[in-house]
Amino acid sequence: MSVTVERIALREIHLRLREPFRISSGETWNRRILLVEVFGSDDRGGSALARGECVAGERPAYSPETVETARMAIEQWLAARLLGQTFEHAREVWPLLDRNLRGHRMAKAALEMACWELQARLEGWPLSGLLGGVQGRVPTGISLGIQSSPEELLAKARQALELGYRKVKVKIEPGADLDFLRPLRDALGDDAPLAVDANAAYSLRDMERLLEIDALALMMIEQPLEREDLVRHARLQERLETPLCLDESITSVARAEDMRDLDAGRIVNIKPGRVGGFAQAIAIHDVCRAAEIPVWCGGMLESGIGRAHNVALASLPGFVLPGDLSPSDRYWAQDIVTPEWTMDDDGMVRVPRDQPGCGVEVDEERLEEITAWRVVLDPGESEWRSEAN
Ligand code: OSB
Ligand code: MG
């Protein structure tokens, strides 16, 4: 079947987290989320709307991209590459977006992932199946922001383990690390599945401290060093027992291969938004699987739309470690999808493999209520039409 992209719209929504989320590079409370809407048709008379969620933040803290740069890239260059285009398979979309257009991976990913969703909906396939997923349930971990005290962290971690989470990932930075982690390990015992994520807050000058963190027998230490770095991570990995997990540093398939070849890390956090979409995420998964490097699916405080896409990806066979796939009520008083995402007592999220697409529908009325602006990018019009809200 062939799919034609008929129309693309962009929309910014505002969603307030239930509580602020603090990491080493800053705090988030109000999420500004850019959504792409791709309207398409097939050669059998079908038509469908698919959405993609852009994971770019408000400020260029996690990556250089922001809501504004993603909007600009999509409006100015990317949308025109898809409008009116026909593809047989969504894997053809990445080359269209990437040719002679560097960076802007989060912007590309939002469009690319919407195209996979579009194909799945038009063909009546579950998205998980289209991506090559095999797992019907995926293990889930929680990501805990930097807390105001070790006691607070312990209470949150205890509660997470009681809820069934299979991994408790604690955000750290110099000054909010050992004093938080040691009492946590002591209280929860050696078997508690603890991990840390520094979001690039350390350097090799912190070796002493990193060695002390190493002694805590964590599942992994995520992205301790510079966002662009692999060489220093390799030097660090040499000194540590704990596997390093790279997040920010793995922006492409080639970077994953370099990590493997340099032994710069032994686990990869795959976020489809960070790497340019599903095709790149699958390719990184394949590289890691061939090298027996375990991967898991990360999160970017997504709404239920982005979660849906992450869950579908996490059903691929190489995703063997718990992903940051928290259920809707961890972040939102009310999500924008039905059904909302839930997790069972064993810390597993069900992959919707029995319905077309990603398995959730957007609550359109609620979406309108929280929309800040929407713009339709239509090739048939001389200028993009902007609807302020
Ligand atoms: O490093 O994984 C990260 C959120 C924002 C930016 C970076 C990260 C995160 C998370 C959130 O850890 C995980 C989630 O969405 O549950
Ligand atoms: Mg991370």
Side-chain angles (χ1 to χ4, degrees):
M1 182 167 90
S2 64
V3 174
T4 301
V5 175
E6 305 282 356
R7 202 147 41 93
I8 299 175
L10 289 179
R11 181 197 289 271
E12 180 180 324
I13 60 168
H14 293 177
L15 264 185
R16 187 175 171 84
L17 292 165
R18 289 173 73 155
E19 56 182 26
F21 188 79
R22 182 153 92 84
I23 68 177
S24 61
S25 55
E27 185 177 273
T28 306
W29 197 339
N30 291 303
R31 288 280 288 115
R32 292 176 54 205
I33 301 176
L34 186 66
L35 298 178
V36 306
E37 302 175 342
V38 178
F39 300 83
S41 60
D42 60 33
D43 50 0
R44 300 179 205 157
S47 63
L49 157 65
R51 288 197 173 89
E53 177 165 344
C54 182
V55 299
E58 186 163 14
R59 290 170 299 109
Y62 170 86
S63 98
E65 291 188 75
T66 68
V67 173
E68 277 73 27
T69 70
R71 177 182 181 174
M72 186 270 287
I74 292 170
E75 285 187 351
Q76 202 152 352
W77 305 299
L78 295 171
R81 291 181 171 210
L82 295 187
L83 284 164
Q85 286 287 328
T86 297
F87 56 84
E88 300 295 321
H89 194 285
R91 70 169 77 90
E92 297 158 32
V93 170
W94 168 256
L96 295 175
L97 296 175
D98 195 51
R99 186 171 33 88
N100 294 329
L101 208 163
R102 298 185 54 226
H104 300 285
R105 286 181 183 256
M106 293 175 173
K108 290 170 183 171
L111 281 171
E112 197 253 14
M113 292 162 79
C115 287
W116 284 80
E117 171 79 13
L118 181 65
Q119 182 184 352
R121 283 183 185 244
L122 287 170
E123 289 185 346
W125 267 83
L127 179 62
S128 161
L130 186 63
L131 295 170
V134 294
Q135 312 189 68
R137 299 184 329 148
V138 292
T140 298
I142 194 169
S143 173
L144 295 176
I146 296 170
Q147 304 295 314
S148 52
S149 69
E151 295 73 32
E152 188 91 356
L153 175 64
L154 177 58
K156 290 237 157 83
R158 271 223 169 91
Q159 187 192 23
L161 291 170
E162 271 159 27
L163 285 169
Y165 280 104
R166 302 274 186 120
K167 177 184 79 188
V168 174
K169 162 171 135 179
V170 177
K171 294 291 187 176
I172 57 168
E173 64 186 1
D177 45 23
L178 291 164
D179 294 346
F180 285 71
L181 297 172
R182 282 200 181 114
L184 191 66
R185 178 54 95 201
D186 287 346
L188 297 176
D190 291 343
D191 294 337
L194 298 178
V196 294
D197 185 358
N199 292 105
Y202 296 80
S203 78
L204 287 180
R205 286 189 301 279
D206 301 309
M207 186 62 84
E208 288 305 311
R209 193 177 281 260
L210 291 163
L211 287 168
E212 288 180 273
I213 294 171
D214 188 42
L216 294 168
L218 302 166
M219 292 172 77
M220 67 191 85
I221 301 174
E222 186 175 338
Q223 195 71 40
L225 309 178
E226 237 304 277
R227 294 167 184 84
E228 315 252 310
D229 176 79
L230 290 175
V231 172
R232 293 163 190 79
H233 278 101
R235 242 179 250 157
L236 177 60
Q237 181 68 83
E238 217 169 43
R239 303 279 307 271
L240 303 185
E241 294 284 328
T242 313
L244 294 182
C245 168
L246 296 187
D247 174 352
E248 284 91 329
S249 287
I250 306 299
T251 46
S252 66
V253 180
R255 303 278 293 167
E257 291 168 341
D258 292 350
M259 181 200 94
R260 174 198 63 195
D261 295 346
L262 292 166
D263 192 24
R266 298 188 177 151
I267 298 174
V268 178
N269 168 346
I270 298 183
K271 294 175 179 171
R274 187 192 68 226
V275 301
F278 283 135
Q280 301 314 294
I282 294 167
I284 292 171
H285 160 275
D286 294 348
V287 165
C288 292
R289 195 155 183 246
E292 294 182 47
I293 295 169
V295 305
W296 53 280
C297 184
M300 291 289 289
L301 311 175
E302 288 95 341
S303 78
I305 298 173
R307 290 279 151 177
H309 291 170
N310 290 346
V311 168
L313 180 67
S315 70
L316 268 70
F319 285 81
V320 293
L321 293 169
D324 284 345
L325 303 165
S326 286
S328 300
D329 66 2
R330 145 96 175 106
Y331 288 121
W332 318 113
Q334 191 194 344
D335 205 337
I336 59 170
V337 298
T338 46
E340 293 203 350
W341 289 98
T342 56
M343 179 180 83
D344 69 19
D345 297 342
D346 291 328
M348 304 294 279
V349 171
R350 200 181 70 82
V351 183
R353 288 174 55 82
D354 48 8
Q355 49 196 303
C358 68
V360 293
E361 294 301 329
V362 175
D363 178 343
E364 300 290 341
E365 216 168 284
R366 175 150 161 72
L367 193 68
E368 288 302 330
E369 282 166 18
I370 60 173
T371 294
W373 53 264
R374 181 172 185 271
V375 52
V376 180
L377 314 179
D378 190 326
E381 300 182 21
S382 55
E383 279 181 301
W384 306 133
R385 184 161 49 92
S386 182
E387 302 164 0
N389 198 353

